[in-house]
Amino acid sequence: QVQVVESGGGLVQAGGSLRLSCAASGITVSRYDMGWFRQAPGKQRELVASIGSRGSTNYADSMKGRFTISRDNAKNTMYLEMNNLKPEDTAVYYCKLDSLFNTFWGQGTQVTVSS
């Protein structure tokens, strides 16, 4: 059974930092492209950052320079380091794993940034 679990969300003041984790079980994440998405109330889900199976990274423009995505295949885990958080970063953050044959989503973790 495949499980994808995000953690690390919470309430932080503007300018603060959080580190999100996405832990997968039941699959070998090294075979998957992985990404972080977020969805704010009333808005569509959007890409935050992605990391390919070989380690190439991509960021949404508004996250460049503030967020860092990484992965540890030995731990079957992906991370998102978020610095200089802004109130507009408030959203539910989701983890996604993609291969040619499967797509898996986590249940999300809430990030709230107060001004």
Side-chain angles (χ1 to χ4, degrees):
Q1 182 179 358
V2 177
Q3 287 191 318
V4 179
V5 180
E6 302 96 334
S7 61
L11 174 64
V12 64
Q13 288 188 330
S17 299
L18 283 173
R19 188 194 196 203
L20 305 183
S21 298
C22 169
S25 60
I27 56 174
T28 303
V29 300
S30 61
R31 301 173 182 174
Y32 288 78
D33 296 327
M34 303 177 74
W36 287 99
F37 291 73
R38 70 184 186 185
Q39 188 166 18
K43 295 188 177 181
Q44 289 188 330
R45 192 170 297 189
E46 62 175 352
L47 174 69
V48 174
S50 63
I51 184 165
S53 59
R54 298 183 179 183
S56 60
T57 59
N58 179 55
Y59 296 89
D61 286 343
S62 62
M63 286 61 151
K64 288 180 181 177
R66 298 191 299 127
F67 292 7
T68 303
I69 190 171
S70 62
R71 62 192 294 163
D72 185 338
N73 291 335
K75 295 183 178 180
N76 254 22
T77 302
M78 175 179 65
Y79 304 97
L80 184 69
E81 186 76 33
M82 305 187 293
N83 297 312
N84 191 22
L85 283 162
K86 305 175 181 180
E88 52 264 42
D89 293 319
T90 295
V92 178
Y93 284 69
Y94 297 91
C95 169
K96 181 185 180 185
L97 285 76
D98 268 319
S99 74
L100 285 176
F101 308 104
N102 294 293
T103 296
F104 300 104
W105 287 92
Q107 83 292 343
T109 185
Q110 176 71 46
V111 171
T112 303
V113 184
S114 63
S115 56

